[in-house]
């Protein structure tokens, strides 16, 4: 599906309204030429994975030349697969003409931009894009954007009340449609279910909300830590298919053998499988509609909200005891239910356990 053929999202909304944006640190994603550094050709060989995951737009971060043959080839193949290609850029409209930064990308067909946090209250960036109404801008702080990037869920922690306040605050704020993002979890490398529970639960909260979603590469694997992530694709030792270069890779932990794409695709209970199912359900299930939420009564340290105008309810349990589910069919759950109830997290690994289920009447 080419870009011109895919102009709308759900209903009458444009495609970008509730899209999934996947930010790639190009240098750490896939090495296509064997020099030990990720590149656009490497990324192009992995587009099938992003299509399988359910990505709507790839956001390129790092040193990339939009005039290169590699960018043109990536753009063509991504469009053929129905994905947009955007650029993550640092533009300071107080100090530079945005056209000098944006127009080289526009001239070579980029579909939009994710701009570093900058204030642009006078709309200088929007003016620079006036001749390109089909390009999408994700911004932060004040400015004239299509989508407003936020990390409010990430800083809310794993406690129902702060999560509720974060959601309420973002949806009540005037301005562009929200684009929800989550920070990496600062945990030790582990396949421990207790360590992965908050990652999986908060992913489902994020994907249940109205608005767009911004993922960072490797996030869907449940990879631990906040450092730069060299994408682990397959195999049993570093660099796990990231590069054909053999030798020592001290920046890639050997423990990531349990987190590779290859391993997780074969495991229906893996974090990657949960993301795949959640993203597919989000894009196809008729209950995923509505641009606001309404809140329901919930037990202490729990929350439940519904997308307004739909039958979708999201329930989060951050308490230490099981709680009853909202009525309806369970569409997704970050962990198996316990006797029909929403269970707490395992008792070790996290002091604030949580679990989420998405139900539809």
């Amino acid at each position: 599906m080419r870009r011109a053929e895919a102009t709308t999202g759900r209903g009458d909304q444009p495609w970008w309204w509730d899209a999934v944006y996947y930010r790639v640190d190009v240098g750490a994603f896939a090495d296509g030429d064997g020099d030990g550094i990720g590149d656009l050709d490497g990324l192009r060989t992995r587009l099938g994975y992003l299509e399988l995951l359910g990505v709507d737009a790839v956001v390129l971060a790092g040193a990339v030349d939009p005039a290169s043959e590699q960018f043109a080839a990536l753009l063509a193949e991504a469009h053929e697969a129905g994905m947009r290609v955007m650029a993550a850029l640092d533009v300071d409209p107080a100090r530079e003409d945005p056209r000098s930064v944006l127009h080289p990308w526009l001239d070579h067909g980029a579909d939009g931009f994710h701009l570093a946090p900058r204030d642009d209250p006078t709309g200088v960036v929007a003016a620079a894009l006036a001749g390109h109404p089909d390009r999408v801008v994700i911004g932060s702080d004040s400015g004239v954007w299509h989508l407003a990037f936020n990390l409010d869920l990430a800083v809310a922690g794993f406690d129902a009340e702060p999560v509720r306040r974060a959601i309420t605050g973002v949806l009540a704020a005037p301005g562009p449609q929200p684009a929800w993002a989550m920070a990496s979890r600062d945990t030790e490398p582990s396949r421990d279910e207790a360590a992965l529970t908050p990652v999986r639960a908060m992913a489902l909260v994020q994907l249940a909300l109205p608005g767009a979603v911004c993922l960072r590469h490797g996030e869907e694997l449940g990879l631990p830590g906040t450092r730069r992530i060299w994408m682990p694709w397959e195999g049993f030792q570093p660099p796990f298919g990231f590069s054909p270069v053999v030798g020592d890779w001290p920046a890639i932990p050997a423990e990531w053998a349990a987190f590779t794409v290859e391993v997780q695709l074969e495991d229906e209970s893996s974090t990657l499988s949960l993301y795949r199912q959640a993203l597919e359900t989000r894009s196809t299930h008729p209950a995923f509609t509505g641009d606001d939420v309404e809140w329901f009564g919930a037990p202490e340290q729990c929350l439940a909200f519904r997308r307004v105008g739909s039958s979708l309810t999201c329930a989060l349990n951050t308490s230490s005891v099981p709680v009853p589910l909202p009525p309806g069919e369970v569409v997704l759950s970050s962990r198996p239910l316990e006797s029909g109830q929403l269970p707490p997290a395992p008792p070790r690994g996290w002091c604030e356990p949580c679990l989420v289920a998405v139900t539809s009447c």
Side-chain angles (χ1 to χ4, degrees):
M1 186 187 306
R2 299 185 186 277
R3 183 178 65 195
E5 297 171 338
T7 56
T8 60
R10 287 182 180 270
D12 296 327
Q13 300 293 359
W15 72 268
W16 50 264
W17 189 255
D18 57 357
V20 176
Y21 300 84
Y22 188 89
R23 181 185 175 105
V24 171
D25 180 349
V26 175
F29 193 68
D31 173 17
D33 60 12
D35 66 355
I37 302 172
D39 48 55
L40 292 181
D41 284 341
L43 169 57
R44 185 162 53 87
T45 66
R46 299 294 185 174
L47 284 178
Y49 167 73
L50 300 185
E51 188 176 5
L52 181 70
L53 183 61
V55 170
D56 296 304
V58 184
V59 182
L60 307 178
V64 175
D65 179 7
S68 67
E69 294 181 0
Q70 292 78 14
F71 178 75
L74 173 70
L75 192 71
E77 290 196 23
H79 285 176
E80 190 66 32
M83 287 180 282
R84 271 66 169 192
V85 178
M86 301 169 62
L89 300 176
D90 187 356
V91 178
D92 188 349
R95 298 187 178 182
E96 61 187 331
D97 183 353
R99 291 174 294 184
S100 65
V101 179
L102 303 180
H103 279 209
W105 290 91
L106 296 171
D107 293 342
H108 290 91
D111 296 296
F113 305 98
H114 184 177
L115 303 182
R118 301 286 188 187
D119 285 324
D120 186 21
T122 60
V124 174
V125 171
L129 295 171
H132 305 272
D134 59 337
R135 301 313 199 257
V136 175
V137 179
I138 305 172
S140 303
D141 301 327
S142 62
V144 183
W145 325 118
H146 295 85
L147 297 165
F149 179 86
N150 75 83
L151 284 165
D152 294 59
L153 283 181
V155 301
F158 301 103
D159 189 6
E161 186 53 37
V163 169
R164 174 174 174 152
R165 289 198 301 267
I167 295 171
T168 301
V170 169
L171 293 179
Q177 173 84 335
W180 305 93
M182 297 293 296
S184 296
R185 306 289 184 243
D186 191 13
T187 63
E188 292 300 319
S190 173
R191 289 292 291 172
D192 190 308
E193 186 181 9
L196 288 175
T197 292
V199 176
R200 295 160 64 95
M202 291 305 296
L204 292 193
V205 172
Q206 176 192 22
L207 295 173
L209 288 165
V213 171
C214 293
L215 302 179
R216 196 167 65 181
H217 91 242
E219 184 176 347
E220 73 279 11
L221 303 180
L223 290 172
T226 57
R227 57 189 159 184
R228 192 183 195 195
I229 292 174
W230 279 259
M231 191 72 171
W233 294 101
E234 63 258 341
F236 302 100
Q237 60 186 13
F240 300 118
F242 161 73
S243 172
V245 177
V246 297
D248 293 333
W249 286 82
I252 305 179
E255 293 87 351
W256 282 8
F259 288 88
T260 66
V261 171
E262 179 182 48
V263 166
Q264 295 204 41
L265 283 176
E266 296 176 355
D267 181 2
E268 294 183 356
S269 65
S270 70
T271 301
L272 175 57
S273 293
L274 179 69
Y275 266 91
R276 284 188 60 202
Q277 184 182 5
L279 289 172
E280 180 180 4
T281 303
R282 184 178 182 271
S283 67
T284 60
H285 197 288
F288 280 73
T289 59
D291 294 326
D292 206 345
V293 302
E294 55 184 339
W295 298 93
F296 297 93
E300 187 176 357
Q301 291 188 286
C302 300
L303 63 79
F305 65 83
R306 176 178 292 177
R307 298 272 290 264
V308 172
S310 81
S311 58
L312 176 72
T313 302
C314 179
L316 175 70
N317 180 12
T318 68
S319 74
S320 59
V321 296
V323 297
L325 278 169
E329 170 197 5
V330 176
V331 177
L332 291 170
S333 178
S334 59
R335 282 182 50 232
L337 304 179
E338 294 181 1
S339 301
Q341 290 191 312
L342 200 61
R348 55 194 174 89
W350 289 87
C351 61
E352 294 176 291
C354 60
L355 186 132
V356 67
V358 176
T359 67
S360 175
C361 294

